Amino acid sequence: MKSFLAKPYAEGEIYRPISNISFALNWYVGKDNPTGYHIINLIIHILSACFLYQTIILLLQSLKQHSPKNIISIALLAATLWAINPVQTQAVTYIVQRMASMAAMFFVLAIYAYIRARHARRNRSTLTYLLLTLSFFFLALGCKENAITLIPSLLLIEIIFLYKKDDRTSKVFLVGLIIANICFILAALFYAFDHNYFVDFFDPIGSRPFSVYERLLTQPYILLFYLSLLLYPNPSRLSIDHSVPLATSMFHPWTTLPAMLLISALIIFAVIRYKKNPLLSFAILFFFINHLVESTIIPLELIFEHRNYLPSFFLFLPISAGIVYALNASVRKNRLLHGTLIAAIPFLLIMIGLGTYTRNAVWATEESLWADALRKAPDNARPLAKLGEIYGWQKEKTAENLIISTALLHQALEKESPRTSFKPAIVDNIGKIYANYGMHDKAINYYHQSLQLNPKFINARFDLANALALHGNFEQSLEQINIVLSENDLQSRFYNLKTLLLLWLGRPEEAAINSFQAIQRTIYNKNRYFYNSGVALSRAGHIKQGMLFLKWALAYNPNDFRIFCSLIENRLLAEDRDSAHQYALQLLSKEGLVFLTYRLDNLRTEYAAVPINVDLISPIIIETAQRAVAQLSD
């Protein structure tokens, strides 16, 4: 159930529960080993391709324009061209985009079940398949919200492939789908008005550097770019991040108006010709319908390749039908052309497969992926920022890597950003990298700079509070964390830091309250806060409750040096010297006295964790050591 409530930065809210459950199962089996995740992603992709093949067969059978042999050939070629296209790499190889691929898998299963329902001759079979359609629809929505476009997609399929004027059942299904689509449109309008997309039509949306108007103007060019990538998927054109000029009017850049006109022409053509060219019309309209969520007014980032995974399902259907038609037409009329086509098809498939293999090689490491993105999108801040983070955190701590990391991040500040909050985040990351190298004064300086760019940037303020705490500036740190909590009181880590600060400031009652707040805001791994609660309760005079939490903490971390120290402290506060001796003896059995004395000295200035009363516990530890030595002498 924890995976149901795993929304990023809003723990406790439902977020794509079906795909998150699959990640949770992967974690349960193989933890952070990526192999299992890739295997599941590949299985999802294969299943999607198999059911796409079966669905295309059903669609072609509904038209009754192709022979059974041709239907199989067209379906197999169309599904294969979709499955091996290099563009799909991002949806399959990029582990987190299982959300997109898994939603698409259930989406095509829903279409398959719906067509089977329409072909069923018995009412019971129809009802069964309709229930399956509904089930797959909700499963798809549970993976990713863009699956809502199944509603207009089914209407499109009904009109082009299934509807018969003289059939009463067809009329019932058509009316039902029209009603569902009216509800879909009303829900979409409500969503748009509720989020003020039309009220703030010409103003920047949230932290995005563009307005709804600008996004709508830019998307026609992007949609045509998507089509070009699918039809000419050269790996040199593919990237995890693309540079796209933002359209500010219909004439800037100049490609905006031609793109809008071409998209309009394609849609008009598809609508007008849907009876004479059903496969081509269907492919075009299905593509645009399934880009409605991510390519219109919702303020998502402008472009991502994985968004083509679902919309491209049937894009290769008319192409495959054309190839099969050409093969059949040329078999008697032009043997040379026929032989050329037969040779060209496997050659085409091999070249596309090699392109996918080549593109996958770029995903070998995070560094190779973002280095590739930097070559292809040099004006974008994200590749520079990601490479800066890699050099700052993942590589060996050397002066050279520090220089490279900070230089990359400084370059990123001068490039185009996907969010207005991106530059403050980059400055904050520069501070974090300096902190990682132990240069906390420089880190604090960059945290302040980040907050000057965006005073409401919570991460920078939290990082500043952490850095101040590590310097022993507890009062200043407390001021910062209080500002953080006034802006966002949902994250347990904020209360945990406040607990630590209050303990160092000698305010254990308040610390205990904040520690409980941290526990309450944690859905999973609540035990990580048991230790702090135990220390706070012990120091506040709630000795028994403190002991209980400390024992729970020890159960999860049986070798933790600090927990033993705090247990000794708790027992001394309870005036239970015998138990204190027992815990001290256990501690001595794990640490030698000389090393233990050294560690106890360091505890006085270890501001990253809650304080321990070294002066109180040291005598009992020394006394326990002396007793142990005396017993050995005897």
Side-chain angles (χ1 to χ4, degrees):
M1 289 299 293
K2 294 172 184 176
S3 55
F4 271 77
L5 310 170
K7 188 171 184 177
Y9 308 110
E11 194 175 279
E13 292 186 27
I14 292 178
Y15 178 72
R16 301 179 180 178
I18 305 303
S19 46
N20 281 337
I21 285 173
S22 74
F23 287 132
L25 291 172
N26 262 129
W27 177 264
Y28 179 78
V29 173
K31 296 297 184 284
D32 58 355
N33 186 334
T35 303
Y37 296 86
H38 285 303
I39 289 171
I40 297 300
N41 279 19
L42 191 59
I43 289 171
I44 289 168
H45 184 56
I46 292 169
L47 287 172
S48 296
C50 290
F51 278 98
L52 177 61
Y53 164 74
Q54 293 291 340
T55 301
I56 291 172
I57 287 176
L58 291 178
L59 289 173
L60 293 173
Q61 287 173 346
S62 301
L63 283 179
K64 297 179 180 178
Q65 294 178 358
H66 303 274
S67 67
K69 183 181 177 180
N70 286 345
I71 285 173
I72 292 172
S73 299
I74 294 168
L76 184 60
L77 183 57
T80 303
L81 286 171
W82 172 83
I84 66 173
N85 197 295
V87 178
Q88 317 299 12
T89 304
Q90 193 172 115
V92 180
T93 305
Y94 193 4
I95 289 173
V96 76
Q97 291 312 329
R98 178 184 302 177
M99 294 176 174
S101 61
M102 200 173 185
M105 180 187 72
F106 287 122
F107 193 102
V108 76
L109 279 166
I111 293 175
Y112 174 80
Y114 178 80
I115 300 170
R116 290 296 301 269
R118 291 289 283 109
H119 286 174
R121 295 182 179 180
R122 297 180 181 179
N123 291 338
R124 186 174 178 180
S125 297
T126 300
L127 182 60
T128 300
Y129 280 116
L130 284 177
L131 288 173
L132 282 172
T133 303
L134 197 61
S135 300
F136 290 135
F137 175 50
F138 285 120
L139 286 169
L141 281 176
C143 295
K144 195 175 180 184
E145 299 83 350
N146 68 323
I148 193 70
T149 53
L150 179 69
I151 297 170
S153 296
L154 289 181
L155 179 60
L156 178 68
I157 289 168
E158 182 67 38
I159 291 170
I160 292 180
F161 294 99
L162 303 172
Y163 180 70
K164 297 175 184 176
K165 287 183 180 180
D166 301 328
D167 183 39
R168 183 180 175 184
T169 302
S170 288
K171 291 179 181 178
V172 171
F173 274 92
L174 183 64
V175 170
L177 284 171
I178 289 172
I179 293 170
N181 276 272
I182 291 170
C183 294
F184 168 74
I185 293 167
L186 291 174
L189 289 170
F190 174 80
Y191 180 88
F193 279 110
D194 187 55
H195 286 75
N196 296 319
Y197 293 154
F198 297 131
V199 175
D200 302 323
F201 192 68
F202 296 100
D203 299 321
I205 321 166
S207 63
R208 296 296 183 190
F210 50 76
S211 64
V212 172
Y213 173 71
E214 289 169 333
R215 193 177 199 279
L216 284 171
L217 288 177
T218 308
Q219 285 304 313
Y221 170 83
I222 292 173
L223 287 168
L224 290 176
F225 179 66
Y226 284 156
L227 280 170
S228 77
L229 288 180
L230 286 158
L231 298 175
Y232 178 52
N234 190 313
S236 65
R237 305 180 67 222
L238 304 176
S239 177
I240 192 172
D241 208 15
H242 290 276
S243 289
V244 176
L246 182 68
T248 55
S249 74
M250 287 197 294
F251 307 101
H252 184 271
W254 71 267
T255 53
T256 305
L257 184 58
M260 292 173 69
L261 292 173
L262 185 51
I263 295 286
S264 300
L266 284 171
I267 293 172
I268 291 168
F269 169 83
V271 171
I272 292 173
R273 301 283 298 182
Y274 84 92
K275 287 187 177 180
K276 292 185 177 180
N277 304 100
L279 298 185
L280 183 58
S281 293
F282 175 61
I284 292 169
L285 293 174
F286 185 90
F287 180 81
F288 289 123
I289 284 170
N290 284 283
H291 270 297
L292 281 173
V293 173
E294 294 175 309
S295 296
T296 51
I297 63 174
I298 297 175
L300 305 168
E301 289 197 31
L302 292 172
I303 181 169
F304 272 125
E305 289 171 11
H306 67 261
R307 292 176 183 168
N308 289 288
Y309 191 81
L310 192 160
S312 64
F313 265 156
F314 301 101
L315 192 65
F316 302 100
L317 177 54
I319 295 171
S320 301
I323 291 171
V324 171
Y325 174 80
L327 280 170
N328 290 334
S330 63
V331 68
R332 293 180 181 177
K333 296 180 180 179
N334 192 327
R335 290 298 182 91
L336 179 62
L337 176 61
H338 184 72
T340 303
L341 284 172
I342 289 176
I345 293 170
F347 177 76
L348 174 66
L349 295 176
I350 289 168
M351 292 304 294
I352 294 172
L354 286 173
T356 301
Y357 179 83
T358 302
R359 181 59 193 158
N360 262 296
V362 174
W363 288 80
T365 67
E366 193 176 357
E367 184 177 355
S368 65
L369 177 66
W370 289 108
D372 173 78
L374 182 59
R375 287 191 296 271
K376 294 170 180 175
D379 295 328
N380 279 17
R382 187 187 280 113
L384 287 162
K386 289 291 185 181
L387 287 169
E389 291 170 18
I390 290 167
Y391 274 87
W393 283 301
Q394 297 180 21
K395 290 186 177 289
E396 185 183 356
K397 286 186 182 180
T398 64
E400 183 183 1
N401 284 337
L402 175 60
I403 292 169
I404 293 172
S405 172
T406 53
L408 286 165
L409 289 168
H410 278 292
Q411 287 180 52
L413 290 171
E414 301 169 5
K415 304 296 183 179
E416 297 172 1
S417 303
R419 291 179 179 269
T420 54
S421 60
F422 203 63
K423 286 186 178 180
I426 292 172
V427 176
D428 179 48
N429 279 339
I430 296 173
K432 286 181 177 177
I433 287 166
Y434 278 120
N436 188 40
Y437 276 76
M439 303 165 73
H440 296 291
D441 289 332
K442 276 197 170 185
I444 289 171
N445 179 41
Y446 277 99
Y447 297 148
H448 280 298
Q449 288 183 40
S450 177
L451 289 169
Q452 285 173 3
L453 290 170
N454 181 5
K456 291 187 176 294
F457 186 38
I458 288 174
N459 284 348
R461 198 170 293 281
F462 178 70
D463 292 333
L464 175 60
N466 258 323
L468 290 168
L470 290 172
H471 268 56
N473 298 329
F474 304 123
E475 290 287 359
Q476 293 177 42
S477 179
L478 186 61
E479 287 177 18
Q480 296 299 326
I481 201 64
N482 281 334
I483 295 171
V484 169
L485 286 168
S486 69
E487 297 287 337
N488 183 333
D489 65 350
L490 298 175
Q491 295 194 39
S492 56
R493 61 188 179 128
F494 300 157
Y495 283 100
N496 188 53
L497 177 57
K498 189 172 181 179
T499 300
L500 182 149
L501 295 170
L502 289 167
L503 282 169
W504 279 104
L505 290 167
R507 294 155 62 178
E509 282 284 0
E510 295 173 67
I513 292 168
N514 277 274
S515 185
F516 285 134
Q517 295 281 5
I519 291 172
Q520 288 174 359
R521 282 160 175 76
T522 305
I523 302 300
Y524 52 91
N525 295 336
K526 290 179 181 286
N527 56 284
R528 58 186 147 153
Y529 299 128
F530 288 170
Y531 172 60
N532 291 0
S533 295
V535 173
L537 287 165
S538 299
R539 293 200 169 191
H542 307 292
I543 308 297
K544 288 183 179 179
Q545 294 92 329
M547 187 63 178
L548 184 62
F549 274 94
L550 289 173
K551 282 184 174 181
W552 285 343
L554 187 66
Y556 286 102
N557 304 282
N559 296 309
D560 192 288
F561 164 76
R562 281 183 156 273
I563 296 175
F564 277 105
C565 290
S566 295
L567 282 164
I568 295 167
E569 183 179 330
N570 175 282
R571 290 298 82 203
L572 290 173
L573 291 171
E575 298 182 356
D576 182 0
R577 293 183 66 83
D578 289 340
S579 295
H581 276 298
Q582 289 175 11
Y583 284 117
L585 189 61
Q586 290 182 55
L587 185 56
L588 284 163
S589 69
K590 299 174 185 297
E591 310 266 357
L593 181 60
V594 175
F595 184 62
L596 188 55
T597 304
Y598 170 76
R599 289 194 69 178
L600 286 171
D601 268 347
N602 287 338
L603 288 179
R604 300 178 192 277
T605 55
E606 282 187 7
Y607 301 135
V610 296
I612 291 170
N613 193 334
V614 177
D615 293 331
L616 178 65
I617 69 172
S618 290
I620 200 77
I621 292 172
I622 293 169
E623 185 182 331
T624 304
Q626 289 171 344
R627 283 186 183 181
V629 171
Q631 287 175 358
L632 287 172
S633 300
D634 292 343

